[in-house]
Amino acid sequence: MHKSHLLRKGRVSIPHHYYSITLVTYKRTPYFSSLAINRLVTKQLVERCEKLLIDLIAFVIMPDHIHLLIQLSTTTTLSDFIRSFKGTLTSILRPLINNQRLWQRDYYDHMIRNETELLHNARCIVANPLRAKLVQKIGQYPYWWCKYL
């Protein structure tokens, strides 16, 4: 991501809007391949959302990245949420990954414009393990959740 600074160009954070977010591990290292680590990731994600009044719509934890679909509250910006989640998760996981760097510096986000796009994004997030050919049926992949399913 040598041009990752361009991802921030035009980025907005609007209360009550939905955002699709992708967080990628440093050098695409597959840190999220174990049940123990993914339980910590899930626990931290749910806790961060509850603490910051973020509505978690869907997520999937892939071996080297995480996809999220959230709705912002009036009290937290998108960058505050990402900073809080990535920072806290780094502190928790650092001893488990031999003090290696956990995240790529930036993240990708997309503001959802309507309900059709919201449902489409939720389905795409949940289907990510299928497209990556990690499983043949989504029920075989344990590291996802969606409010609508």
Side-chain angles (χ1 to χ4, degrees):
M1 290 181 67
H2 62 284
K3 294 183 181 180
S4 62
H5 66 283
L6 296 175
L7 292 175
R8 290 187 296 274
K9 200 173 190 178
R11 183 174 280 167
V12 295
S13 184
I14 303 173
H16 302 295
H17 277 69
Y18 295 92
Y19 290 86
S20 177
I21 303 161
T22 303
L23 307 171
V24 181
T25 60
Y26 184 65
K27 295 185 178 179
R28 290 247 179 211
T29 306
Y31 290 127
F32 308 130
S33 297
S34 78
L35 177 61
I37 285 180
N38 288 346
R39 280 186 175 171
L40 291 171
V41 172
T42 302
K43 182 178 186 284
Q44 188 55 33
L45 176 60
V46 170
E47 286 178 4
R48 288 288 101 195
C49 286
E50 287 175 355
K51 182 177 181 175
L52 299 173
L53 304 176
I54 302 287
D55 190 12
L56 181 61
I57 307 301
F59 72 87
V60 65
I61 304 169
M62 301 296 285
D64 62 357
H65 65 282
I66 300 173
H67 293 285
L68 307 170
L69 186 56
I70 62 167
Q71 181 183 25
L72 289 180
S73 66
T74 55
T75 59
T76 306
T77 66
L78 183 59
S79 60
D80 288 342
F81 167 69
I82 299 298
R83 187 179 317 110
S84 176
F85 176 64
K86 285 172 76 171
T88 305
L89 197 58
T90 297
S91 299
I92 292 168
L93 295 184
R94 187 164 272 151
L96 301 174
I97 61 170
N98 298 320
N99 291 319
Q100 300 294 313
R101 186 171 164 189
L102 179 58
W103 299 109
Q104 283 190 14
R105 188 169 170 192
D106 287 312
Y107 58 93
Y108 172 80
D109 69 275
H110 171 73
M111 187 173 74
I112 307 299
R113 289 167 177 74
N114 56 49
E115 189 172 332
T116 302
E117 191 177 349
L118 178 67
L119 293 173
H120 174 74
N121 271 268
R123 287 184 187 116
C124 284
I125 286 171
V126 170
N128 208 271
L130 296 172
R131 284 192 307 279
K133 298 186 183 349
L134 296 177
V135 292
Q136 301 213 340
K137 295 179 183 175
I138 192 58
Q140 298 170 324
Y141 196 76
Y143 311 124
W144 68 275
W145 179 83
C146 183
K147 189 177 200 176
Y148 301 128
L149 299 176

